[in-house]
C-alpha cells in the first residue's frame, strides 16, 4: 500500500481567541491540511475548552477546511451526533472514556463521518490494535491530554511504530496521528516512527509567518525519512 500523505493540523487551542476569525483564516490559508479542534469537558481532562457551537462557527468561517475534532470528554457517545451535525469531518474519541467504544465508533461512521480513536500516553497500544479495522484514524497522544504547550513524550514513539507495523501488515486504511509537543525537532521523529498526521498548536500559532512555518515543519518532518 502506498505511504499515506503527510497531514499538518494546527490546533486552534493555541490561537488568540480574541481574534478567532483572523486566526482560523491564518491557519487555513497557511497551507496546512486540517484544523485540529480540542474539546475538553473538565472531567476527562482537568481543563474546559469549547463545545459544538464553536465548531459550527469555525465551519462557517472556514467552509473548505477539514475539521479534525478531538473529543477529550467523558461521555463521547452522548455528544458525537452534535459534533458531527456541527461540521466535524473526523471525530476522535478516547479509548479511556466511559462508553461502549465499538458502538460510538459505529455511530460516527454511520453518520458518514471519519472515526478516530485516541489513546493516552500510558495506554497500551495493544488495546487499540483490534479496533483498527473499525476506524479511519488512530491518535497516539504524545502528551497527557488537557493542555497545550507541554513537552513531547519520546517514549510514545514505540507505540507509533507498533501501530504503523500493524496497519501495514493488515493493509489497513488508517491515518496515524500524533498530538502534543510537536515542532521542527519532534515531527521528524514521529514521522520516522510511522505517523502521518502531525498536530501542532503552540509551535505554529506563535509564528509570525504561519505559511513559512508550515512549509518548514513539512520539510523537517519528512527529511529524516527521505534520507532513509
Ligand atoms: C492536548 C491537545 C493538543 C494540544 C497540542 O490536550 O490535545 O491538541 O492543543 O498542543 P501543543 O502543540 O501546544 O502541544
Ligand atoms: Zn488534540
Amino acid at each position: 500500500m502506498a505511504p499515506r500523505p503527510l497531514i499538518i493540523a494546527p490546533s486552534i487551542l493555541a490561537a488568540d481567541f480574541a481574534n478567532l476569525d483572523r486566526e482560523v483564516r491564518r491557519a487555513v490559508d497557511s497551507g496546512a491540511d486540517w484544523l485540529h479542534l480540542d474539546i475538553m469537558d473538565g472531567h476527562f481532562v482537568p481543563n474546559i475548552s469549547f463545545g459544538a457551537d464553536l465548531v459550527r462557527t469555525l465551519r462557517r468561517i472556514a467552509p473548505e477546511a477539514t475539521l479534525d475534532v478531538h473529543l477529550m470528554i467523558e461521555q463521547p457517545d452522548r455528544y458525537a451526533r452534535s459534533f458531527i451535525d456541527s461540521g466535524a469531518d473526523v471525530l476522535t474519541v478516547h479509548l479511556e472514556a466511559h462508553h461502549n467504544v465499538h458502538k460510538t465508533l459505529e455511530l460516527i461512521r454511520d453518520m458518514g463521518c471519519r472515526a478516530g480513536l485516541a489513546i493516552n500516553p500510558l495506554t497500551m497500544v495493544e488495546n487499540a490494535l483490534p479496533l483498527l479495522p473499525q476506524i479511519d484514524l488512530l491518535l497516539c497522544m504524545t502528551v497527557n491530554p488537557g493542555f497545550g504547550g507541554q513537552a513531547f513524550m519520546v517514549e510514545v514513539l514505540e507505540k507509533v511504530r507498533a501501530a504503523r507495523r500493524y496497519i501495514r501488515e493488515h493493509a489497513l486504511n488508517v491515518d496515524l496521528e500524533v498530538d502534543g509537543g510537536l515542532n521542527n525537532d519532534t515531527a521528524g521523529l514521529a514521522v520516522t516512527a510511522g505517523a502521518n498526521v502531525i498536530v501542532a498548536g503552540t509551535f505554529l500559532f506563535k509564528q509570525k509567518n504561519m505559511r513559512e512555518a508550515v512549509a518548514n515543519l513539512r520539510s523537517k518532518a519528512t527529511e529524516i525519512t527521505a534520507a532513509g
Side-chain angles (χ1 to χ4, degrees), residues 75-81 84 91 93-95 97-113 115-117 131 134-135:
Q75 296 182 293
D77 48 336
R78 280 185 67 178
Y79 299 96
R81 277 176 199 286
I84 297 170
L91 191 66
V93 297
H94 269 263
L95 183 62
H98 279 165
H99 60 140
N100 179 327
V101 67
H102 289 276
K103 279 200 177 147
T104 312
L105 294 169
E106 199 173 81
L107 171 113
I108 296 170
R109 278 193 154 176
D110 283 352
M111 286 187 73
C113 186
L117 180 67
L131 289 158
Q134 232 194 303
I135 61 177

Side-chain angles (χ1 to χ4, degrees), residues 91-198:
L91 191 66
T92 297
V93 297
H94 269 263
L95 183 62
E96 305 87 356
H98 279 165
H99 60 140
N100 179 327
V101 67
H102 289 276
K103 279 200 177 147
T104 312
L105 294 169
E106 199 173 81
L107 171 113
I108 296 170
R109 278 193 154 176
D110 283 352
M111 286 187 73
C113 186
R114 274 177 267 172
L117 180 67
I119 52 171
N120 285 337
L122 286 179
T123 301
M124 279 166 51
V125 71
E126 287 71 24
N127 296 340
L129 297 179
L131 289 158
L132 255 54
Q134 232 194 303
I135 61 177
D136 303 284
L137 174 144
L138 178 70
L139 165 54
C140 290
M141 290 302 300
T142 42
V143 296
N144 284 309
F147 300 91
Q150 303 181 73
F152 182 82
M153 297 171 71
V154 75
E155 58 271 33
V156 175
L157 292 176
E158 196 47 54
K159 299 198 300 186
V160 174
R161 278 190 280 273
R164 177 52 69 199
R165 215 177 303 126
Y166 190 97
I167 291 168
R168 201 180 301 124
E169 283 169 10
H170 294 78
L172 296 170
N173 235 338
V174 175
D175 284 311
L176 191 44
E177 182 173 60
V178 282
D179 180 9
L182 272 306
N183 56 38
N184 278 349
D185 299 321
T186 53
L189 302 174
V191 169
T192 307
N196 74 299
V197 184
I198 302 289

Side-chain angles (χ1 to χ4, degrees), residues 11 13 36 38 40 70 72 141 145-149 179-181 199-202:
S11 169
L13 196 62
H36 185 81
D38 286 309
M40 304 178 182
H70 176 196
M72 283 162 276
M141 290 302 300
F147 300 91
D179 180 9
V199 176
T202 310

Side-chain angles (χ1 to χ4, degrees), residues 3-125:
R4 302 183 72 76
L6 179 69
I7 290 165
I8 308 273
S11 169
I12 290 297
L13 196 62
D16 172 6
F17 274 57
N19 295 295
L20 194 57
D21 195 346
R22 205 171 63 204
E23 289 282 80
V24 169
R25 287 308 330 166
R26 187 160 82 97
V28 172
D29 298 338
S30 69
D33 307 278
W34 293 357
L35 273 189
H36 185 81
L37 311 181
D38 286 309
I39 314 297
M40 304 178 182
D41 66 352
H43 291 279
F44 185 74
V45 288
N47 195 8
I48 298 178
S49 59
F50 49 84
D53 285 348
L54 196 89
V55 175
R56 195 178 290 276
T57 302
L58 298 176
R59 169 50 74 217
R60 209 181 59 231
I61 298 173
E64 77 277 38
T66 296
L67 300 184
D68 174 32
V69 178
H70 176 196
L71 294 185
M72 283 162 276
I73 68 176
E74 201 57 68
Q75 296 182 293
D77 48 336
R78 280 185 67 178
Y79 299 96
R81 277 176 199 286
S82 85
F83 282 98
I84 297 170
D85 286 341
S86 300
D89 295 291
V90 185
L91 191 66
T92 297
V93 297
H94 269 263
L95 183 62
E96 305 87 356
H98 279 165
H99 60 140
N100 179 327
V101 67
H102 289 276
K103 279 200 177 147
T104 312
L105 294 169
E106 199 173 81
L107 171 113
I108 296 170
R109 278 193 154 176
D110 283 352
M111 286 187 73
C113 186
R114 274 177 267 172
L117 180 67
I119 52 171
N120 285 337
L122 286 179
T123 301
M124 279 166 51
V125 71

